[in-house]
Amino acid sequence: MNEIIESVKNLSIGFNSQKGKQISILRNVSTNIKKGETVGIVGESGSGKSTLALAMMGYIKQGLFPLKGECLFKSEDLLKMSSRQLEKIRGRKIAMIPQNAGQALTPNLKIGYQIDEALRLHTDLNKTERDKKISELLNKVRLPSPETMAFRYPHELSGGQQQRVAVAMALAGKPDLLLLDEPTTGLDVTTQAHVLELLRFIAKDTGTSMIYVSHDLGAIAQVSDRIVVMYAGEIVLEGPARKILKEPIHPYTYGLLKSIPKLSLAGLPASMPGSQPQPGSINEGCSFYDRCNLATDHCKKNSPDLEHIKELDTNVRCFNHKELINQNNNLQTSITKKSNNSEAIEVLKLKDVSISYAKQKFFDQLLNKISDQNPTVKDINIDIKKGETIALVGESGSGKSTILKSIAGLLKTKDGQIKFENDRLLSSDLKMRNPNDLRAIQLIFQNPDESLNPNHTVEQILSQPLKLYFNLSGEELKKNIIDLLKKVRLGEFYMSRYPRQLSGGEKQRVAVARAFAAKPDIILCDEVTSALDVSVQAAVLNILQQLKEDLGTTYVFVSHDLAVVRAISDRVAVLYQGRLCEIGPSQNVYKFPSHPYTEVLLGAVLEPDPDIKPKLVAEDIVEEKPPEKGCSFQGRCPRKIGDICNLEVPPWQIGENGNAIRCHINIDELASLQQ
Amino acid sequence: MQSNLVTEDKQKNKLEKSFEILKTMASKPSGLIGLTIVLFHVVLALISPYIAPYDYKAISPNTMLLAPSAEHWFGTDSLGRDVFTRTILGGRTALTVTFFGSLIALLWGGLLGIFCGLVGGKIDDVVMRVVDAFLSIPWILAMLLIVSLLGTSTEVLIPALGFFYGKGIVRVARAATHDVIAKDFIVSARARGHSNMSIIWNEIIPNVRDAILVEGAMRWSWMLLGFSSLSFLGFGVSPPTPDWGLMISNARGLMSFAYWSVIAPIVGLSSLIIGINLTADAFAKALGIDRSTKAPV
Ligand SMILES: Nc1ncnc2c1ncn2[C@@H]1O[C@H](COP(=O)(O)OP(=O)(O)OP(=O)(O)O)[C@@H](O)[C@H]1O
Ligand code: SF4
Ligand code: SF4
Ligand SMILES: [Mg+2]
């Protein structure tokens, strides 16, 4: 059982900079993978986790080269093998599932054929054996009706099902070691939980060793026996999963765990200052020095070694780790938000809003109306009060962004009204809005790489709204820009930078500053933290909260992450297929009774705690279109009571906590069912 | 005063940026070679009238088909004209015509492409159909028609070449614009209420400029080949203008015994084409544009 199948020894990998300097992105990494063990490698983007994982199958990305050390697979060094030798190992002994493996399936070939190809390549089975094996594999990854599945094309499967096919293909060669690089990133919460559950099952069932690379401690916690934490190209902490997650004795891991929002905690997670150093920028001392609150002068000059702590069976790279051993009971705390004194004034009302993407027919175009019996978003009624943060949650395709776009005037509504302050009707057409209304509603997007013009400096980016709305120029413009940067905690010297010269978190802060430049009343935030690393996410959430408390801005906050929503929002609206399921004060939405869909979502949340397992109550199928009649959730509802759900739109019921639920099951009964 | 400072700062930034790009281009051997060749040709074209040792059109029966010597480095042609003189001046003709031709191609191709990418829908469809229709006409036939109707002066050749080589740029500009307008920063600018002109100028052009310039540089080398082919066929500039295509065409019958009169213009033409190609490739790489998948039309 304790047989080591792959062992990395003192591995350093680097590249030559343009100035001809050698820069290492992995430094002195050593670790062992035992047979049947699942090791989670966690770290933020740029920490070198993927480079390590790839090296473990003997692959070094172009431009990089090993500086020293070895990767021994069954005591043979993969880094010294010829490509012919590696071909024999890859796919057969070591298989890999990359991040978007599901999308990487060949679109015009049937699933069965693609698995058959993998089998032909990696095994010596004959045709009949292979056919048997295909259905066996499809069964193993628990795809529904494996017989017909083999004859389908990739686009006929959902994202989660595609990922299962990728797993099946990786298992084709019966590998001893399975490498997974962010295999569930980009999948929906429920799908992600299902895929992780499958991987756990496969690890147990087949005894395959797995290396699971992810930035997400929640996912890592669900599958790993052992966890390796990477920071700036080094292993900073390594040990049994439970110990790492419950008693982290490295300040980075400790901070990381604290910066993850948790379902059980209202209030904002503590943020870590700064961001990970760029490769090559650390010359001496501990690489975490800049961000560490336990740092001493000693750390500045000396680099700590990986030290083995016997009692905890853990390796740690920190001089002052002892100070953390007693601090761990603090892990379950958060920063309390100032209770919002949202005055009862309503700033924005959505009344019976429906939105359709259906192509307009010629006749309808003439009459300027949209006829679609089953629009993407239907009957949304939400009143948003001044100064509150209201969150819209739901899986991908639930219409969250669609609703935001309509509020912003980027998408025409089909029916219903959007009313601004004092019940004034807002046109859903951008061109019909007056400039002041345009100023009053600002948007922040998910991915700052896409939302900031790569050819503009930060100064140009921030001056756009200032020039447009306030006609500022010269000295005054500059003063305002510096002010804005200060608000998002960036220094003046950022003005001349281009977006590519900023880290992800910094970019997003510039995007936040740009939205605030307009002095808006309402800011629409579309998944504003989901492209960010957790330690950076917490900082952005804290800045958003601070600005709101100072300026009284109203947020409409869209997210698929229930824990983030829990942290920042005052009120939550849950959407399924463009229909509201539940709405209420956030502390109550997270309590029972909940709408069955909310229950499913809450059950699928991955917490960075090995003891909290997701509860998988509904299938992870994806529905293409909302149903024509009845309850929007009828297709997946685990509590469905019968025909009434298919035929009649459920009524709103108000619980005693003030959350409204749209379900045919009596609310008290729901409460007792969910206890 | 203050705003002056700001613009100065920006200009310096731009200069620095261009310098950076040049440096990256020169950091690879192929880029360095390309840049050197192009620079060599450009400098030669600029100074050739001053350094040319002979009169390019002076016909002299006494010096017909002399082999290279100290007096005539590259020998003389069948009319006794100095080949060295005609070669360096020929580069000047080729570069001038194709440079301005490319500029015209960039301008109309770029603007039309951006326009199509931006408006999309029916108008885009129709315009692209028309462009495709033009693409399918063998350009050389069309050029012959134009030249035989309007003559072979540079005033005709430059816009005509510019027109035909702009078609490819339309496609690139349109595709680049298509990519850009889907980006959130455009949506963001629209949501803020910026005017269309401001969006084109501030958001779109800076982001499609690079791709269009690279395509323009590529087109330049193709145009050079096209222009020389026209001259070779006798439909380019007219004699006695020193021109590589013409020189090759005049001397090709003498290849077997007076190779020098044809080697020089061939080397000149091919080195310039290779130089521009290498430079355009290095330029594309320095800007991070992947051209590898695009085949020349
Ligand atoms: N431009 C479009 N044309 C047609 N259908 C669209 C378009 N944009 C979105 N849709 C569809 O509308 C539905 C809602 O999409 P929307 O983008 O609002 O979802 P979302 O909740 O924001 O999802 P995500 O979490 O993936 O961002 C989806 O079924 C989607 O496929
Ligand atoms: S060695 Fe010092 S700086 Fe590094 S993590 Fe430990 S306490 Fe912090
Ligand atoms: S109405 Fe029926 S289908 Fe809909 S959530 Fe309630 S029980 Fe489920
Ligand atoms: Mg969205």
Side-chain angles (χ1 to χ4, degrees), chain A residues 327-364:
Chain A
Q327 242 192 57
N328 284 320
N329 38 1
N330 283 340
L331 222 44
Q332 298 291 329
T333 57
S334 66
I335 304 167
T336 37
K337 280 183 296 191
K338 216 197 263 169
S339 66
N340 75 307
N341 39 356
S342 49
E343 306 141 48
I345 313 170
E346 280 151 0
V347 277
L348 193 72
K349 278 190 191 170
L350 305 185
K351 199 161 179 304
D352 299 324
V353 169
S354 298
I355 309 162
S356 165
Y357 282 109
K359 274 234 167 70
Q360 272 171 287
K361 291 202 195 76
F362 177 69
F363 194 59
D364 293 332

mmCIF file of all heavy atoms in Angstrom, chain A residues 327-364:
data_model
loop_
_atom_site.group_PDB
_atom_site.id
_atom_site.type_symbol
_atom_site.label_atom_id
_atom_site.label_comp_id
_atom_site.label_asym_id
_atom_site.label_seq_id
_atom_site.Cartn_x
_atom_site.Cartn_y
_atom_site.Cartn_z
ATOM 1 N N GLN A 327 -3.399 29.130 16.969
ATOM 2 C CA GLN A 327 -4.303 30.178 16.516
ATOM 3 C C GLN A 327 -5.491 29.653 15.742
ATOM 4 O O GLN A 327 -6.380 30.409 15.378
ATOM 5 C CB GLN A 327 -3.523 31.104 15.580
ATOM 6 C CG GLN A 327 -3.423 32.519 16.098
ATOM 7 C CD GLN A 327 -2.912 33.418 15.003
ATOM 8 O OE1 GLN A 327 -3.482 33.512 13.928
ATOM 9 N NE2 GLN A 327 -1.818 34.088 15.283
ATOM 10 N N ASN A 328 -5.479 28.340 15.498
ATOM 11 C CA ASN A 328 -6.389 27.843 14.479
ATOM 12 C C ASN A 328 -7.862 27.899 14.823
ATOM 13 O O ASN A 328 -8.701 27.777 13.949
ATOM 14 C CB ASN A 328 -6.003 26.423 14.092
ATOM 15 C CG ASN A 328 -4.794 26.446 13.200
ATOM 16 O OD1 ASN A 328 -4.700 27.301 12.344
ATOM 17 N ND2 ASN A 328 -3.849 25.560 13.430
ATOM 18 N N ASN A 329 -8.184 28.117 16.078
ATOM 19 C CA ASN A 329 -9.609 28.228 16.381
ATOM 20 C C ASN A 329 -10.198 29.508 15.793
ATOM 21 O O ASN A 329 -11.397 29.663 15.699
ATOM 22 C CB ASN A 329 -9.831 28.175 17.890
ATOM 23 C CG ASN A 329 -8.740 28.918 18.619
ATOM 24 O OD1 ASN A 329 -7.845 29.487 17.978
ATOM 25 N ND2 ASN A 329 -8.805 28.935 19.934
ATOM 26 N N ASN A 330 -9.308 30.419 15.355
ATOM 27 C CA ASN A 330 -9.807 31.657 14.769
ATOM 28 C C ASN A 330 -10.252 31.520 13.329
ATOM 29 O O ASN A 330 -10.701 32.462 12.725
ATOM 30 C CB ASN A 330 -8.701 32.724 14.783
ATOM 31 C CG ASN A 330 -8.558 33.298 16.160
ATOM 32 O OD1 ASN A 330 -9.475 33.195 16.965
ATOM 33 N ND2 ASN A 330 -7.406 33.882 16.430
ATOM 34 N N LEU A 331 -10.056 30.337 12.797
ATOM 35 C CA LEU A 331 -10.328 30.146 11.375
ATOM 36 C C LEU A 331 -11.778 30.457 11.029
ATOM 37 O O LEU A 331 -12.080 30.906 9.945
ATOM 38 C CB LEU A 331 -9.998 28.693 11.009
ATOM 39 C CG LEU A 331 -9.281 28.462 9.703
ATOM 40 C CD1 LEU A 331 -8.157 29.437 9.485
ATOM 41 C CD2 LEU A 331 -8.755 27.041 9.673
ATOM 42 N N GLN A 332 -12.650 30.225 11.988
ATOM 43 C CA GLN A 332 -14.075 30.396 11.706
ATOM 44 C C GLN A 332 -14.583 31.776 12.105
ATOM 45 O O GLN A 332 -15.545 31.911 12.835
ATOM 46 C CB GLN A 332 -14.894 29.333 12.431
ATOM 47 C CG GLN A 332 -14.586 27.912 11.998
ATOM 48 C CD GLN A 332 -15.052 27.642 10.579
ATOM 49 O OE1 GLN A 332 -16.032 28.208 10.118
ATOM 50 N NE2 GLN A 332 -14.329 26.788 9.861
ATOM 51 N N THR A 333 -13.912 32.817 11.640
ATOM 52 C CA THR A 333 -14.420 34.150 11.940
ATOM 53 C C THR A 333 -14.468 34.961 10.672
ATOM 54 O O THR A 333 -13.860 34.616 9.672
ATOM 55 C CB THR A 333 -13.503 34.904 12.930
ATOM 56 O OG1 THR A 333 -12.194 34.946 12.367
ATOM 57 C CG2 THR A 333 -13.475 34.243 14.275
ATOM 58 N N SER A 334 -15.209 36.044 10.714
ATOM 59 C CA SER A 334 -15.268 36.906 9.536
ATOM 60 C C SER A 334 -15.473 38.344 9.986
ATOM 61 O O SER A 334 -15.764 38.612 11.144
ATOM 62 C CB SER A 334 -16.400 36.465 8.633
ATOM 63 O OG SER A 334 -17.627 36.686 9.284
ATOM 64 N N ILE A 335 -15.310 39.243 9.043
ATOM 65 C CA ILE A 335 -15.504 40.656 9.335
ATOM 66 C C ILE A 335 -16.991 40.947 9.259
ATOM 67 O O ILE A 335 -17.640 40.625 8.263
ATOM 68 C CB ILE A 335 -14.784 41.517 8.286
ATOM 69 C CG1 ILE A 335 -13.305 41.140 8.215
ATOM 70 C CG2 ILE A 335 -14.975 42.983 8.579
ATOM 71 C CD1 ILE A 335 -12.617 41.715 7.007
ATOM 72 N N THR A 336 -17.550 41.574 10.292
ATOM 73 C CA THR A 336 -18.981 41.857 10.207
ATOM 74 C C THR A 336 -19.217 43.089 9.351
ATOM 75 O O THR A 336 -18.481 44.063 9.432
ATOM 76 C CB THR A 336 -19.595 42.093 11.609
ATOM 77 O OG1 THR A 336 -18.639 42.800 12.372
ATOM 78 C CG2 THR A 336 -19.948 40.784 12.264
ATOM 79 N N LYS A 337 -20.230 42.982 8.552
ATOM 80 C CA LYS A 337 -20.588 44.120 7.709
ATOM 81 C C LYS A 337 -21.340 45.103 8.568
ATOM 82 O O LYS A 337 -22.045 44.737 9.497
ATOM 83 C CB LYS A 337 -21.519 43.653 6.588
ATOM 84 C CG LYS A 337 -20.826 43.003 5.447
ATOM 85 C CD LYS A 337 -21.843 42.655 4.385
ATOM 86 C CE LYS A 337 -22.833 41.641 4.898
ATOM 87 N NZ LYS A 337 -23.678 41.083 3.842
ATOM 88 N N LYS A 338 -21.237 46.363 8.212
ATOM 89 C CA LYS A 338 -22.069 47.339 8.872
ATOM 90 C C LYS A 338 -23.491 47.062 8.394
ATOM 91 O O LYS A 338 -23.726 46.947 7.197
ATOM 92 C CB LYS A 338 -21.645 48.755 8.458
ATOM 93 C CG LYS A 338 -21.757 49.743 9.607
ATOM 94 C CD LYS A 338 -21.744 51.143 9.070
ATOM 95 C CE LYS A 338 -20.338 51.738 9.158
ATOM 96 N NZ LYS A 338 -20.251 52.989 8.411
ATOM 97 N N SER A 339 -24.409 46.930 9.339
ATOM 98 C CA SER A 339 -25.759 46.595 8.901
ATOM 99 C C SER A 339 -26.227 47.716 7.996
ATOM 100 O O SER A 339 -26.091 48.887 8.313
ATOM 101 C CB SER A 339 -26.686 46.464 10.107
ATOM 102 O OG SER A 339 -26.806 47.723 10.719
ATOM 103 N N ASN A 340 -26.790 47.341 6.886
ATOM 104 C CA ASN A 340 -27.130 48.391 5.932
ATOM 105 C C ASN A 340 -28.341 49.125 6.433
ATOM 106 O O ASN A 340 -29.337 48.538 6.815
ATOM 107 C CB ASN A 340 -27.394 47.777 4.558
ATOM 108 C CG ASN A 340 -28.718 47.091 4.521
ATOM 109 O OD1 ASN A 340 -28.990 46.256 5.373
ATOM 110 N ND2 ASN A 340 -29.548 47.452 3.575
ATOM 111 N N ASN A 341 -28.222 50.435 6.463
ATOM 112 C CA ASN A 341 -29.396 51.193 6.869
ATOM 113 C C ASN A 341 -30.149 51.558 5.608
ATOM 114 O O ASN A 341 -30.353 52.710 5.296
ATOM 115 C CB ASN A 341 -29.003 52.439 7.658
ATOM 116 C CG ASN A 341 -27.768 53.086 7.077
ATOM 117 O OD1 ASN A 341 -27.175 52.545 6.130
ATOM 118 N ND2 ASN A 341 -27.380 54.239 7.591
ATOM 119 N N SER A 342 -30.474 50.521 4.840
ATOM 120 C CA SER A 342 -31.164 50.793 3.590
ATOM 121 C C SER A 342 -32.484 51.446 3.925
ATOM 122 O O SER A 342 -33.343 50.860 4.561
ATOM 123 C CB SER A 342 -31.390 49.501 2.806
ATOM 124 O OG SER A 342 -31.947 48.546 3.652
ATOM 125 N N GLU A 343 -32.580 52.687 3.505
ATOM 126 C CA GLU A 343 -33.816 53.401 3.734
ATOM 127 C C GLU A 343 -34.872 52.715 2.893
ATOM 128 O O GLU A 343 -34.545 52.019 1.937
ATOM 129 C CB GLU A 343 -33.637 54.860 3.299
ATOM 130 C CG GLU A 343 -32.444 55.509 3.979
ATOM 131 C CD GLU A 343 -31.683 56.439 3.037
ATOM 132 O OE1 GLU A 343 -32.354 57.253 2.386
ATOM 133 O OE2 GLU A 343 -30.455 56.331 2.965
ATOM 134 N N ALA A 344 -36.080 52.940 3.261
ATOM 135 C CA ALA A 344 -37.126 52.201 2.564
ATOM 136 C C ALA A 344 -37.341 52.676 1.136
ATOM 137 O O ALA A 344 -38.149 52.118 0.417
ATOM 138 C CB ALA A 344 -38.426 52.298 3.359
ATOM 139 N N ILE A 345 -36.602 53.680 0.693
ATOM 140 C CA ILE A 345 -36.814 54.174 -0.670
ATOM 141 C C ILE A 345 -36.410 53.122 -1.678
ATOM 142 O O ILE A 345 -35.350 52.515 -1.556
ATOM 143 C CB ILE A 345 -35.944 55.422 -0.958
ATOM 144 C CG1 ILE A 345 -36.046 56.414 0.183
ATOM 145 C CG2 ILE A 345 -36.323 56.059 -2.287
ATOM 146 C CD1 ILE A 345 -35.048 57.536 0.068
ATOM 147 N N GLU A 346 -37.246 52.946 -2.672
ATOM 148 C CA GLU A 346 -36.882 52.001 -3.715
ATOM 149 C C GLU A 346 -36.239 52.741 -4.870
ATOM 150 O O GLU A 346 -36.770 53.718 -5.367
ATOM 151 C CB GLU A 346 -38.114 51.234 -4.188
ATOM 152 C CG GLU A 346 -38.423 50.118 -3.228
ATOM 153 C CD GLU A 346 -39.890 49.776 -3.167
ATOM 154 O OE1 GLU A 346 -40.674 50.425 -3.879
ATOM 155 O OE2 GLU A 346 -40.227 48.862 -2.396
ATOM 156 N N VAL A 347 -35.055 52.288 -5.273
ATOM 157 C CA VAL A 347 -34.394 52.973 -6.385
ATOM 158 C C VAL A 347 -34.687 52.312 -7.706
ATOM 159 O O VAL A 347 -34.649 52.944 -8.750
ATOM 160 C CB VAL A 347 -32.857 53.016 -6.245
ATOM 161 C CG1 VAL A 347 -32.445 54.152 -5.359
ATOM 162 C CG2 VAL A 347 -32.298 51.707 -5.805
ATOM 163 N N LEU A 348 -34.941 51.020 -7.658
ATOM 164 C CA LEU A 348 -35.128 50.317 -8.925
ATOM 165 C C LEU A 348 -36.209 49.272 -8.741
ATOM 166 O O LEU A 348 -36.204 48.529 -7.763
ATOM 167 C CB LEU A 348 -33.813 49.647 -9.330
ATOM 168 C CG LEU A 348 -33.757 49.140 -10.751
ATOM 169 C CD1 LEU A 348 -33.653 50.303 -11.724
ATOM 170 C CD2 LEU A 348 -32.563 48.225 -10.945
ATOM 171 N N LYS A 349 -37.138 49.252 -9.668
ATOM 172 C CA LYS A 349 -38.201 48.252 -9.588
ATOM 173 C C LYS A 349 -38.251 47.492 -10.899
ATOM 174 O O LYS A 349 -38.323 48.093 -11.965
ATOM 175 C CB LYS A 349 -39.551 48.949 -9.404
ATOM 176 C CG LYS A 349 -39.862 49.342 -8.002
ATOM 177 C CD LYS A 349 -41.299 49.784 -7.977
ATOM 178 C CE LYS A 349 -41.605 50.454 -6.654
ATOM 179 N NZ LYS A 349 -42.921 51.104 -6.680
ATOM 180 N N LEU A 350 -38.238 46.186 -10.786
ATOM 181 C CA LEU A 350 -38.494 45.378 -11.972
ATOM 182 C C LEU A 350 -39.913 44.868 -11.823
ATOM 183 O O LEU A 350 -40.250 44.237 -10.830
ATOM 184 C CB LEU A 350 -37.533 44.191 -12.064
ATOM 185 C CG LEU A 350 -36.044 44.503 -12.030
ATOM 186 C CD1 LEU A 350 -35.241 43.231 -12.263
ATOM 187 C CD2 LEU A 350 -35.689 45.531 -13.082
ATOM 188 N N LYS A 351 -40.732 45.168 -12.818
ATOM 189 C CA LYS A 351 -42.126 44.760 -12.706
ATOM 190 C C LYS A 351 -42.490 43.847 -13.863
ATOM 191 O O LYS A 351 -42.442 44.273 -15.008
ATOM 192 C CB LYS A 351 -43.012 46.007 -12.698
ATOM 193 C CG LYS A 351 -44.378 45.742 -12.139
ATOM 194 C CD LYS A 351 -45.059 47.029 -11.705
ATOM 195 C CE LYS A 351 -46.440 46.728 -11.158
ATOM 196 N NZ LYS A 351 -47.296 45.983 -12.101
ATOM 197 N N ASP A 352 -42.798 42.606 -13.549
ATOM 198 C CA ASP A 352 -43.197 41.610 -14.566
ATOM 199 C C ASP A 352 -42.258 41.571 -15.761
ATOM 200 O O ASP A 352 -42.685 41.455 -16.898
ATOM 201 C CB ASP A 352 -44.607 41.900 -15.084
ATOM 202 C CG ASP A 352 -45.629 41.821 -13.971
ATOM 203 O OD1 ASP A 352 -45.449 40.954 -13.100
ATOM 204 O OD2 ASP A 352 -46.570 42.626 -13.967
ATOM 205 N N VAL A 353 -40.987 41.670 -15.519
ATOM 206 C CA VAL A 353 -40.047 41.750 -16.635
ATOM 207 C C VAL A 353 -39.862 40.390 -17.309
ATOM 208 O O VAL A 353 -39.631 39.386 -16.648
ATOM 209 C CB VAL A 353 -38.678 42.284 -16.157
ATOM 210 C CG1 VAL A 353 -37.616 42.126 -17.241
ATOM 211 C CG2 VAL A 353 -38.803 43.746 -15.757
ATOM 212 N N SER A 354 -40.018 40.369 -18.612
ATOM 213 C CA SER A 354 -39.702 39.180 -19.406
ATOM 214 C C SER A 354 -38.728 39.587 -20.498
ATOM 215 O O SER A 354 -38.807 40.693 -21.031
ATOM 216 C CB SER A 354 -40.953 38.609 -20.068
ATOM 217 O OG SER A 354 -41.867 38.219 -19.080
ATOM 218 N N ILE A 355 -37.798 38.700 -20.800
ATOM 219 C CA ILE A 355 -36.801 39.016 -21.822
ATOM 220 C C ILE A 355 -36.663 37.805 -22.734
ATOM 221 O O ILE A 355 -36.616 36.670 -22.269
ATOM 222 C CB ILE A 355 -35.434 39.324 -21.180
ATOM 223 C CG1 ILE A 355 -35.591 40.374 -20.082
ATOM 224 C CG2 ILE A 355 -34.444 39.807 -22.227
ATOM 225 C CD1 ILE A 355 -34.431 40.434 -19.134
ATOM 226 N N SER A 356 -36.604 38.076 -24.020
ATOM 227 C CA SER A 356 -36.526 36.966 -24.971
ATOM 228 C C SER A 356 -35.366 37.167 -25.932
ATOM 229 O O SER A 356 -35.079 38.279 -26.358
ATOM 230 C CB SER A 356 -37.834 36.889 -25.755
ATOM 231 O OG SER A 356 -37.657 36.069 -26.872
ATOM 232 N N TYR A 357 -34.691 36.067 -26.244
ATOM 233 C CA TYR A 357 -33.638 36.119 -27.259
ATOM 234 C C TYR A 357 -34.154 35.657 -28.613
ATOM 235 O O TYR A 357 -33.410 35.580 -29.573
ATOM 236 C CB TYR A 357 -32.465 35.228 -26.858
ATOM 237 C CG TYR A 357 -31.557 35.817 -25.810
ATOM 238 C CD1 TYR A 357 -31.528 35.314 -24.522
ATOM 239 C CD2 TYR A 357 -30.711 36.868 -26.135
ATOM 240 C CE1 TYR A 357 -30.683 35.841 -23.572
ATOM 241 C CE2 TYR A 357 -29.863 37.409 -25.188
ATOM 242 C CZ TYR A 357 -29.843 36.892 -23.906
ATOM 243 O OH TYR A 357 -29.004 37.415 -22.980
ATOM 244 N N ALA A 358 -35.453 35.309 -28.657
ATOM 245 C CA ALA A 358 -35.993 34.758 -29.894
ATOM 246 C C ALA A 358 -35.838 35.758 -31.029
ATOM 247 O O ALA A 358 -35.977 36.957 -30.841
ATOM 248 C CB ALA A 358 -37.462 34.402 -29.706
ATOM 249 N N LYS A 359 -35.518 35.249 -32.197
ATOM 250 C CA LYS A 359 -35.408 36.110 -33.385
ATOM 251 C C LYS A 359 -36.776 36.680 -33.691
ATOM 252 O O LYS A 359 -37.775 35.974 -33.739
ATOM 253 C CB LYS A 359 -34.930 35.275 -34.577
ATOM 254 C CG LYS A 359 -33.448 35.145 -34.670
ATOM 255 C CD LYS A 359 -32.987 35.609 -36.072
ATOM 256 C CE LYS A 359 -31.496 35.805 -36.115
ATOM 257 N NZ LYS A 359 -30.776 34.535 -36.048
ATOM 258 N N GLN A 360 -36.811 37.971 -33.930
ATOM 259 C CA GLN A 360 -38.090 38.586 -34.250
ATOM 260 C C GLN A 360 -38.502 38.221 -35.667
ATOM 261 O O GLN A 360 -37.684 38.244 -36.573
ATOM 262 C CB GLN A 360 -37.965 40.094 -34.162
ATOM 263 C CG GLN A 360 -38.227 40.632 -32.784
ATOM 264 C CD GLN A 360 -37.855 42.087 -32.750
ATOM 265 O OE1 GLN A 360 -36.684 42.419 -32.764
ATOM 266 N NE2 GLN A 360 -38.841 42.942 -32.714
ATOM 267 N N LYS A 361 -39.778 37.922 -35.822
ATOM 268 C CA LYS A 361 -40.256 37.689 -37.184
ATOM 269 C C LYS A 361 -40.471 39.036 -37.851
ATOM 270 O O LYS A 361 -40.629 40.058 -37.188
ATOM 271 C CB LYS A 361 -41.567 36.898 -37.138
ATOM 272 C CG LYS A 361 -41.362 35.486 -36.680
ATOM 273 C CD LYS A 361 -42.511 34.611 -37.159
ATOM 274 C CE LYS A 361 -42.529 33.291 -36.438
ATOM 275 N NZ LYS A 361 -43.048 33.407 -35.050
ATOM 276 N N PHE A 362 -40.511 38.997 -39.183
ATOM 277 C CA PHE A 362 -40.600 40.239 -39.931
ATOM 278 C C PHE A 362 -41.818 41.063 -39.525
ATOM 279 O O PHE A 362 -41.728 42.258 -39.266
ATOM 280 C CB PHE A 362 -40.665 39.917 -41.433
ATOM 281 C CG PHE A 362 -40.823 41.127 -42.287
ATOM 282 C CD1 PHE A 362 -39.772 42.029 -42.406
ATOM 283 C CD2 PHE A 362 -42.003 41.383 -42.949
ATOM 284 C CE1 PHE A 362 -39.907 43.154 -43.187
ATOM 285 C CE2 PHE A 362 -42.142 42.520 -43.732
ATOM 286 C CZ PHE A 362 -41.095 43.392 -43.852
ATOM 287 N N PHE A 363 -42.952 40.363 -39.403
ATOM 288 C CA PHE A 363 -44.191 41.058 -39.084
ATOM 289 C C PHE A 363 -44.104 41.720 -37.708
ATOM 290 O O PHE A 363 -44.515 42.853 -37.514
ATOM 291 C CB PHE A 363 -45.336 40.053 -39.141
ATOM 292 C CG PHE A 363 -46.673 40.699 -39.160
ATOM 293 C CD1 PHE A 363 -47.000 41.590 -40.192
ATOM 294 C CD2 PHE A 363 -47.596 40.429 -38.174
ATOM 295 C CE1 PHE A 363 -48.234 42.196 -40.218
ATOM 296 C CE2 PHE A 363 -48.845 41.041 -38.203
ATOM 297 C CZ PHE A 363 -49.161 41.921 -39.234
ATOM 298 N N ASP A 364 -43.515 40.981 -36.759
ATOM 299 C CA ASP A 364 -43.398 41.518 -35.401
ATOM 300 C C ASP A 364 -42.452 42.704 -35.372
ATOM 301 O O ASP A 364 -42.640 43.658 -34.616
ATOM 302 C CB ASP A 364 -42.870 40.444 -34.457
ATOM 303 C CG ASP A 364 -43.872 39.325 -34.293
ATOM 304 O OD1 ASP A 364 -45.078 39.608 -34.433
ATOM 305 O OD2 ASP A 364 -43.447 38.185 -34.038
#
